[in-house]
Each structure stands twice: as C-alpha cells, then as structure tokens.
Amino acid sequence: MRTLSKTAAAVLLLLLLAGCWTNKDINHRSLPIAMGISYHDGKYTLYLDIPEVTESESEGIQVISDKGDSINKVIDHISMNMESQVDLLHLKVIIVDREFAESGLSEGIASIVRSRHIAPKTMFVVCDEPLEKFFKHMQDRADHNNTAIYDFFQKSAGWSPDIAYTPTWRIFRSIHSYTHDVVIPIVKSGDTTIIRSVGSAIMKNGKMVGRLNNEETLLYNVFDGMNTQGKIEVMGHATVQITSSRIWSKGSIRDGKPQLRSTIHLKVVVMDKRGDPSPEMIKSELRKVVSERFEKIIAKVRHTEADIFGLGQHFRDELQRPQLAKWRTAYLPRLQVELQVKTIIRNTGNLKT
C-alpha cells in the first residue's frame, strides 16, 4: 500500500481545511454584491443586493432594506436582524439616488471610508430613478443572473467605454482636492435589458452639478488616459475604434488667465466605411468630431466649475497654494484650451482599401 509523502499530506490537509472554511464562510456570511443608499428628510435608506446561491445553481437575488440616522447604524441594524453576518468587504457597487448625489455625498463618503468595512475600490454609481423601483426591477429580472450589476461594470464582462468607471477612493480624493473632480456613471432600469446607462454625473466637491451623455463620457475616458477601445462614428463615413490614446498638456498663466495647450494622440482602427472615404478624410473628420465634443465638455466644465479632467494639476507650478484654493471659482471659468488631435490609422480592420 502506497503512502502519501509529507508534502502531499500537508497539501491535502490545507485543501480540506480551505474547503471547510469556505463552506463555513458561505453558511455564516451574507455577501452583498451591491448596496443602494438614498437620503431623504435626514434619514438614510439602505438596500442590500444579496445573491441567493445553492450548491447546484443561482436562484436570483434577495433585496433587504432598512432606514436609520446614519449609514453605519443601518448596516448594524440589518446585521442584527439577519440570520447571517453581513460582509461588506466583498461589496462591488454602491448605488445612490440622484437626490442624494445632488444634495452632496461628502458625509456619506466620509462615513464609508471611516468605517473601513467597505473596500476603497468599490464602484460608485448614481441611479436616475427611485432606488426602490431600481432594485425591484433587478430582483424581478434576476432569475439566473444574480450578479448583473457587478458584471455591468466589470471590464472583462459588460463594461463599455461609454461608461465612467469611478471607485470610492477617487470620490473621497476629489472632495478634499482643489483641482480634482470626478464623474460618476448614471444608470436606470432597462426596458429590454436589466440595466441601462444614461450618461455620467459631473461631481464638484462630492455634489452632482451637471451631466455628460454617453458620447461625452467616452471622450472623458480617453482624455483621462483610459485605453477605452471605444468606437466613434465619423460624419456618417466611417466608424473607428480607438486602440490607444496618449495625452500631452502644458499649462501657463498669461495676463492672469489660465491657458492650456493639449494634444491627444489617437491610434485607431477603421471598423467599417460608407462610400470610399480616404484615410486623410477620416482623420480630418475624426479631429473635427473629437474637437467639437471636447469643446462642449469644456463648456460644461466652465459652467459647473467642476474640474473633472484635473486640469488644475497643470498649473501647480504657476499658482501658489492660496490661488489653487480658488482654482474652481477664479480660474477654471476663464480657462482657455487649445486642443490638437493627432491620429494614426493603424489598419482598416478586416476591410480592404
């Protein structure tokens, strides 16, 4: 009879212990995928989206809600009344309603960060409808897809370049920064899908002050340095896909006015063409489309005084700290931007030229 070596026996023991821990963890912990937070009349309402899973298959989701004076108090109250411990370290998405976002997330974000129960990389999302309606729709449509909200924001699953990607730590940083604001994705219940993207919320010091549509969000992602793989329609002549992007910017102060020179380097692939446009025509029209969309976004940035691109970072050598403290109100509305778009068409995909 053959006997196990000491190494093999040790590995087998570790595997058995890991299996026992996993079963115990599943049986005694509730692992929410998403948490919804609304704030009305001084009270917080929390919704926990907890997948219901058996050993054989997924069974949908369980939505638990409760109210209280603070986020941590509501979480404690939910845990007290559940048969299993609520583990928020596995939380993937935090969803707030639009009213809460417009009134300001500073206090809620501070509470979440101080609690240390939620990972700082957890995604933040604004819901464009009452959370009760949103979570009911999720529950009704969840049958065999109980992680839909998680998959929607996963870059390896359902995430699209037209959707903003904002973890909690970036919002916390923006609240305490003179020159950094953020955008947060906005979603609502889908008609034929579970979830639908309806753009992004422009946040200033943790407060929603404006919106970007999905096309503008794509350009925001490009300017923010994300390798988006996003597609842009070029004047009806072609559709190009961005394969890589690089941004160069230089800020200066002239006659008391901030001026920024930026160059976007894009490498694109032509996905399809209508007619027979030349590469130079596609490049020219792409530059025009990107420049026009960027100007619209900058106009919103000036109007809302929300520096979502972190443009003030390029003026830190030009302005003293007291001046930077007034960046959003004294300088950003007067910012002049000179944008150049340089494009390289790597190839035409599967098309012949």
Side-chain angles (χ1 to χ4, degrees):
M1 182 177 178
R2 299 177 64 181
T3 59
L4 293 173
S5 66
K6 290 184 179 180
T7 302
V11 170
L12 179 61
L13 179 60
L14 287 172
L15 290 173
L16 290 172
L17 289 174
C20 293
W21 181 87
T22 302
N23 291 334
K24 182 180 178 181
D25 186 62
I26 292 174
N27 291 333
H28 293 85
R29 291 179 182 270
S30 293
L31 307 178
I33 290 291
M35 178 172 70
I37 309 174
S38 65
Y39 183 71
H40 302 283
D41 301 325
K43 293 284 186 180
Y44 290 95
T45 303
L46 262 63
Y47 301 82
L48 292 182
D49 171 358
I50 303 176
E52 294 180 323
V53 181
T54 64
E55 294 181 1
S56 59
E57 62 180 5
S58 301
E59 293 187 346
I61 63 173
Q62 179 185 15
V63 177
I64 299 172
S65 64
D66 207 339
K67 294 183 179 181
D69 297 327
S70 70
I71 295 174
N72 288 319
K73 187 173 182 180
V74 179
I75 292 172
D76 291 341
H77 195 256
I78 290 176
S79 296
M80 178 182 67
N81 292 321
M82 287 186 65
E83 68 280 4
S84 56
Q85 181 183 351
V86 177
D87 187 352
L88 296 180
L89 282 176
H90 296 269
L91 194 68
K92 305 301 181 185
V93 182
I94 298 174
I95 309 168
V96 298
D97 61 7
R98 189 177 62 198
E99 183 178 339
F100 186 17
E102 289 174 343
S103 65
L105 302 176
S106 300
E107 186 176 318
I109 291 289
S111 178
I112 289 170
V113 172
R114 283 198 303 267
S115 72
R116 297 182 180 273
H117 295 316
I118 297 174
K121 63 182 179 180
T122 303
M123 277 286 300
F124 232 89
V125 182
V126 174
C127 185
D128 209 21
E129 63 187 353
L131 288 182
E132 184 178 1
K133 177 183 176 182
F134 178 78
F135 278 100
K136 185 178 187 308
H137 177 80
M138 289 266 297
Q139 194 170 24
D140 292 342
R141 298 286 299 273
D143 294 338
H144 297 289
N145 187 9
N146 56 15
T147 60
I149 186 68
Y150 169 64
D151 293 337
F152 191 81
F153 292 102
Q154 283 302 296
K155 293 184 179 181
S156 58
W159 182 78
S160 165
D162 305 273
I163 301 172
Y165 192 89
T166 310
T168 302
W169 70 265
R170 290 192 65 178
I171 304 174
F172 182 76
R173 181 191 66 178
S174 71
I175 292 171
H176 301 279
S177 172
Y178 295 144
T179 57
H180 259 299
D181 289 303
V182 294
V183 302
I184 300 178
I186 306 177
V187 300
K188 64 185 303 185
S189 302
D191 297 324
T192 58
T193 58
I194 298 178
I195 304 167
R196 179 159 62 99
S197 171
V198 290
S200 305
I202 299 174
M203 308 297 293
K204 175 186 176 183
N205 287 131
K207 183 179 293 187
M208 180 177 173
V209 293
R211 300 174 72 129
L212 300 179
N213 60 34
N214 287 321
E215 292 179 343
E216 292 168 337
T217 302
L218 169 61
L219 187 56
Y220 165 81
N221 284 335
V222 170
F223 202 90
D224 201 37
M226 295 184 67
N227 187 9
T228 64
Q229 301 291 314
K231 298 180 180 67
I232 297 178
E233 189 82 11
V234 183
M235 300 297 188
H237 290 148
T239 300
V240 300
Q241 182 179 47
I242 300 169
T243 58
S244 68
S245 62
R246 180 168 53 88
I247 314 295
W248 175 89
S249 295
K250 174 66 176 177
S252 61
I253 302 292
R254 295 182 182 177
D255 299 326
K257 293 182 179 180
Q259 297 185 347
L260 184 73
R261 294 173 56 206
S262 293
T263 304
I264 301 179
H265 298 268
L266 298 177
K267 291 183 180 180
V268 303
V269 171
V270 179
M271 303 300 293
D272 60 63
K273 297 192 295 185
R274 272 77 70 190
D276 190 26
S278 66
E280 288 305 317
M281 179 184 292
I282 293 174
K283 288 182 182 180
S284 175
E285 293 186 349
L286 178 60
R287 285 194 293 267
K288 184 177 180 181
V289 169
V290 171
S291 297
E292 288 178 351
R293 290 183 186 175
F294 184 76
E295 281 298 325
K296 290 181 180 179
I297 299 175
I298 289 297
K300 293 181 180 181
V301 166
R302 293 192 190 101
H303 176 70
T304 59
E305 298 179 353
D307 192 358
I308 58 175
F309 292 118
L311 302 178
Q313 294 289 316
H314 301 291
F315 295 89
R316 286 188 170 270
D317 293 336
E318 304 286 335
L319 300 173
Q320 300 297 321
R321 185 172 178 81
Q323 293 173 307
L324 282 174
K326 301 177 182 178
W327 165 254
R328 290 184 178 96
T329 55
Y331 294 93
L332 189 57
R334 298 186 296 152
L335 176 66
Q336 297 177 348
V337 181
E338 179 186 334
L339 178 68
Q340 284 188 320
V341 181
K342 296 186 177 181
T343 306
I344 296 176
I345 299 179
R346 295 183 59 183
N347 56 54
T348 55
N350 297 323
L351 303 174
K352 293 182 179 179
T353 57

